[in-house]
Amino acid sequence: MIEISNLVKKYGNHVAVDHLSLTMEPGKIYGFLGPNGAGKSTTMNIITGYIGATEGTVAINGHDIFAEPEEAKKCVGYLPELPPLYVDMTVREYLDFAAELKKLEKSLRKRYVEEAMKTTGILEVSGRMIRNLSKGYKQRVGLAQAILGLPEVIILDEPTVGLDPAQIIEIRDLIRELGKKHTVILSSHILTEISAVCDHVFIVSKGKLVASDTTENLVNLMSGVQEVVLTVRADAQACKTALEEMEEAERVEVLASGAEAQLAVYAKKGKDIREQVYFRMCDSRIPVLEMRTSARSLEDIFIELTQEGGEG
């Protein structure tokens, strides 16, 4: 559906996008992650045809965005972070206007507008002025504009910024529904949103792609070493000594001392040491109050992969 090859965007001496290459398949929801200045918005603006590139190619449904801009843009619906709404229009007037701007077939415009309003749940406010709508409804109007004409690709830039928790849940549910019929690209700084909604994650840093995989696979890939966290009622150093005697323990760290000590046991790569830890504590007659495997989150991986950050 989308093929980005060796994409470069320079502003003077500054490289905003640095030889970026990636592929997006039909019918999936993609998360686009990166720190501020990593090149996310620049890449999305190139995909939508808002700005050009210094080098590289972008093909959307087989159409080169630079060589065939009109055909490529017909395949894309775009919701910027700040929806481009005309607040002195009613919802229906605005969507009719957007359908005209998109050059949708005249005989089908009314149907497209009705379908977009039905899909985004704004039929009941179709006759209201946009300026009088809540933030959540305004975001839905922006989404309706993006899906007019049923484009194959829908690009959403920070779609839940400024929404309350209930509105965020509604928009996430709507994005999941859109993902059943469209390829959706979602840019967000809210990592829980990405992990809750997206099938696949791209992480960029300083204009370069640093990770590309499913959320689950990324966590598994970056979590090659098992970490078992123990809370015990014993002397921390005595417990540490007992655990270090295990053959498959790589290292042991004391996290907290006191009446209830806490320790972290790191296994040698590829080893599962939970049973060994349990039996070692039993043999040493050390009461275990809690034992859990510490799982790394998408936040941990994001920070590790982008700790150098971006600059523009």
Side-chain angles (χ1 to χ4, degrees):
M1 181 56 66
I2 297 180
E3 291 275 353
I4 298 175
S5 179
N6 205 33
L7 192 65
V8 177
K9 180 62 177 177
K10 295 180 180 179
Y11 295 98
N13 293 325
H14 173 65
V15 181
V17 180
D18 190 359
H19 297 89
L20 183 68
S21 295
L22 52 88
T23 301
M24 300 181 192
E25 300 173 358
K28 288 188 177 181
I29 302 176
Y30 290 90
F32 209 46
L33 285 173
N36 288 329
K40 301 189 307 299
S41 292
T42 301
T43 302
M44 295 176 87
N45 282 329
I46 293 172
I47 294 173
T48 56
Y50 275 74
I51 61 175
T54 306
E55 298 175 28
T57 60
V58 176
I60 302 170
N61 204 18
H63 301 290
D64 189 306
I65 190 67
F66 309 122
E68 305 173 84
E70 192 164 330
E71 290 302 316
K73 289 177 184 179
K74 285 181 181 178
C75 303
V76 178
Y78 180 41
L79 176 65
E81 184 176 344
L82 298 174
L85 304 177
Y86 292 95
V87 297
D88 291 325
M89 290 182 172
T90 66
V91 171
R92 187 179 294 275
E93 286 171 344
Y94 169 72
L95 292 176
D96 285 338
F97 176 61
E100 186 177 348
L101 283 180
K102 290 187 173 189
K103 299 180 180 179
L104 300 180
E105 189 175 335
K106 286 185 179 180
S107 62
L108 298 176
R109 285 178 190 171
K110 184 176 180 181
R111 194 187 85 189
Y112 282 140
V113 168
E114 291 291 330
E115 286 180 355
M117 289 195 294
K118 183 178 179 181
T119 299
T120 54
I122 57 175
L123 270 172
E124 63 188 57
V125 298
S126 62
R128 291 178 58 183
M129 299 283 285
I130 292 175
R131 70 164 62 254
N132 297 326
L133 299 179
S134 67
K135 171 74 173 175
Y137 268 114
K138 286 178 181 176
Q139 199 74 348
R140 285 175 176 268
V141 174
L143 272 170
Q145 168 275 135
I147 67 174
L148 273 175
L150 304 177
E152 290 92 338
V153 179
I154 298 173
I155 299 177
L156 310 175
D157 194 357
E158 301 283 352
T160 61
V161 168
L163 302 184
D164 65 36
Q167 292 168 337
I168 288 173
I169 292 171
E170 290 175 356
I171 295 298
R172 286 182 186 175
D173 289 341
L174 181 53
I175 291 170
R176 290 190 190 98
E177 285 300 310
L178 291 174
K180 294 177 181 179
K181 298 180 180 179
H182 308 266
T183 299
V184 180
I185 305 172
L186 171 64
S187 170
S188 179
H189 287 93
I190 306 171
L191 302 186
T192 51
E193 183 169 280
I194 294 293
S195 59
V197 174
C198 297
D199 303 308
H200 195 102
V201 181
F202 296 112
I203 301 179
V204 295
S205 181
K206 290 188 174 181
K208 294 183 178 181
L209 184 68
V210 294
S212 170
D213 212 328
T214 64
T215 304
E216 182 181 358
N217 284 348
L218 274 176
V219 173
N220 290 338
L221 179 66
M222 298 296 292
S223 302
V225 176
Q226 185 186 61
E227 177 185 351
V228 177
V229 178
L230 287 171
T231 302
V232 298
R233 186 167 288 136
D235 177 73
Q237 288 302 321
C239 186
K240 182 174 185 289
T241 300
L243 291 167
E244 285 176 335
E245 293 173 355
M246 294 190 309
E247 183 179 342
E248 294 184 347
E250 182 68 32
R251 72 181 194 279
V252 181
E253 293 180 3
V254 176
L255 305 179
S257 300
E260 294 184 4
Q262 191 174 68
L263 301 95
V265 188
Y266 297 90
K268 291 181 178 177
K269 192 163 186 177
K271 300 297 183 180
D272 184 345
I273 59 170
R274 290 173 295 179
E275 288 186 11
Q276 285 190 42
V277 169
Y278 171 78
F279 287 120
R280 177 56 55 121
M281 294 296 93
C282 289
D283 291 343
S284 301
R285 301 188 62 80
I286 295 176
V288 177
L289 305 181
E290 181 184 8
M291 184 174 83
R292 59 185 171 82
T293 302
S294 179
R296 299 182 69 190
S297 67
L298 187 58
E299 283 86 350
D300 298 327
I301 295 167
F302 177 82
I303 292 169
E304 181 170 334
L305 292 173
T306 64
Q307 59 187 341
E308 295 298 323
E311 296 173 0

